[in-house]
Amino acid sequence: MAPEEQASLFSTSFSSQKDTMFIAIGINEGTRRADGSYTNHWSGHIDPVDKKWNVGTISARDTTLSPKQADMQFRGRLAQTAINTKPFLRQMGLQPGTVGYNNVMFNVLDLYIQAPAAVPKFIQTLAAKKDFTIEGIAEARAMSFFNEYGRLDTTFKSYNDLLRDQRSRAGTLQYRRRF
């Protein structure tokens, strides 16, 4: 689907466990299925990279929260992030109710869960490139993991591994699965 094509206007209020973008983030985290149901990982799992206990849709690393509490807390954080992001998307020329707007907003929110420090650079990169295709979004996500010294700042072993992961995550809202 082309970025300028009309699309459903997805809620970013995160008022419910059933919000489409929240479920898509859960798909990326391995905690939700496309139909919104929960995987076994939602109740809690060990992160394969940092070996810490994660719970809830967004794989929160707070061991004091139940999965429901983690979801409630992060739904509020995601709603606020969406509010803060809307003006930047409009400055980029993206209009609510388009494929491009939905995909970029989703990717800001998903990246906020995966690597919050990378979000500002992701937005800057996209604003400069203006490539709102899934591939363009994936590349901007991967580029956001380079630090100010030009070095990759991630646990991925290589840029190619990182790009593969970001590409897999970038289209989840649109395709309801990772590639």
Side-chain angles (χ1 to χ4, degrees), residues 4-153:
E4 62 279 353
E5 283 185 46
Q6 293 297 305
S8 298
L9 189 59
F10 292 119
S11 170
T12 54
S13 68
F14 294 94
S15 59
S16 160
Q17 289 287 93
K18 296 180 185 207
D19 282 350
T20 302
M21 288 198 186
F22 197 56
I23 291 169
I25 291 168
I27 292 168
N28 279 346
E29 291 295 314
T31 57
R32 304 286 290 268
R33 294 182 192 90
D35 66 3
S37 63
Y38 303 97
T39 69
N40 291 338
H41 289 288
W42 181 79
S43 298
H45 64 279
I46 301 287
D47 185 278
V49 175
D50 68 12
K51 309 297 185 214
K52 294 188 179 182
W53 186 250
N54 293 333
V55 297
T57 297
I58 46 69
S59 296
R61 288 183 173 94
D62 187 338
T63 58
T64 65
L65 298 176
S66 72
K68 284 184 182 181
Q69 290 169 324
D71 281 2
M72 183 177 290
Q73 184 179 90
F74 274 86
R75 285 195 336 252
R77 289 181 189 176
L78 289 167
Q80 187 60 54
T81 301
I83 289 167
N84 295 343
T85 300
K86 285 179 185 180
F88 295 106
L89 272 57
R90 288 183 178 257
Q91 285 174 352
M92 287 186 233
L94 293 167
Q95 297 302 315
T98 62
V99 171
Y101 181 93
N102 288 347
N103 285 336
V104 172
M105 177 63 82
F106 166 73
N107 277 276
V108 166
L109 299 171
D110 184 62
L111 189 57
Y112 172 79
I113 295 302
Q114 184 185 26
V119 171
K121 189 166 182 186
F122 170 66
I123 292 171
Q124 288 173 336
T125 301
L126 267 181
K129 287 179 53 167
K130 297 211 181 288
D131 181 355
F132 307 122
T133 64
I134 297 298
E135 186 62 24
I137 292 168
E139 289 172 2
R141 282 183 71 134
M143 293 303 295
S144 70
F145 283 84
F146 282 93
N147 66 23
E148 64 271 15
Y149 305 108
R151 284 183 282 226
L152 200 54
D153 187 9

